């Protein structure tokens, strides 16, 4: 079985937004949400975990992780806490 190649979110984002001004504008409007998603993906990749491995550790399904990482959900604080715990991180808020 071929091993999945793990790519950083920044690398993925750069490729996905290249030559797509409309998508870049939409992304800019959603920047805080995507910054959080980026940090969560990077934390998962730093642990060399696949979406399936993270889902199993959290007691959920891979599709749930995929939807979150794709930005198509509005996750609860509880869900974010579960991800953070599963990758050995904590959540810290900073109101500016």
């Amino acid at each position: 079985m071929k091993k999945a190649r793990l790519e950083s979110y920044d690398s993925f984002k750069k490729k996905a937004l290249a030559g797509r001004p409309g998508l870049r504008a939409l992304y800019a409007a959603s920047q805080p949400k995507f910054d959080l998603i980026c940090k969560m993906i990077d934390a998962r990749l730093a642990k060399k975990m696949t979406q399936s491995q993270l889902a199993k550790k959290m007691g959920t399904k891979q599709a749930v992780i995929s939807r979150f990482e794709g930005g198509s959900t509005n996750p609860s604080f509880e869900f974010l806490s579960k991800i953070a715990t599963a990758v050995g991180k904590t959540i810290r808020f900073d109101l500016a």
Side-chain angles (χ1 to χ4, degrees):
M1 185 170 158
K2 199 174 188 181
K3 189 172 182 174
R5 183 174 155 253
L6 301 178
E7 177 179 20
S8 77
Y9 182 73
D10 286 336
S11 174
F12 169 78
K13 179 177 75 171
K14 186 176 182 178
K15 285 191 265 184
L17 298 178
R20 300 171 80 182
L23 184 58
R24 279 196 311 270
L26 180 61
Y27 182 86
S30 302
Q31 191 67 46
K33 179 180 180 177
F34 285 105
D35 285 347
L36 174 64
I37 292 169
C38 178
K39 288 181 185 228
M40 292 295 201
I41 292 171
D42 287 345
R44 174 177 63 78
L45 294 177
K47 290 288 189 178
K48 300 187 184 327
M49 295 174 77
T50 64
Q51 288 181 347
S52 294
Q53 290 166 329
L54 176 61
K56 184 175 182 179
K57 196 166 185 178
M58 291 175 57
T60 190
K61 297 182 179 186
Q62 180 273 333
V64 172
I65 303 302
S66 178
R67 284 191 299 272
F68 165 71
E69 291 185 357
S72 63
T73 62
N74 289 313
S76 66
F77 181 78
E78 180 182 2
F79 180 79
L80 296 173
S81 293
K82 284 182 180 181
I83 292 176
T85 299
V87 297
K89 299 287 185 179
T90 59
I91 295 176
R92 184 178 62 215
F93 290 98
D94 181 22
L95 298 176

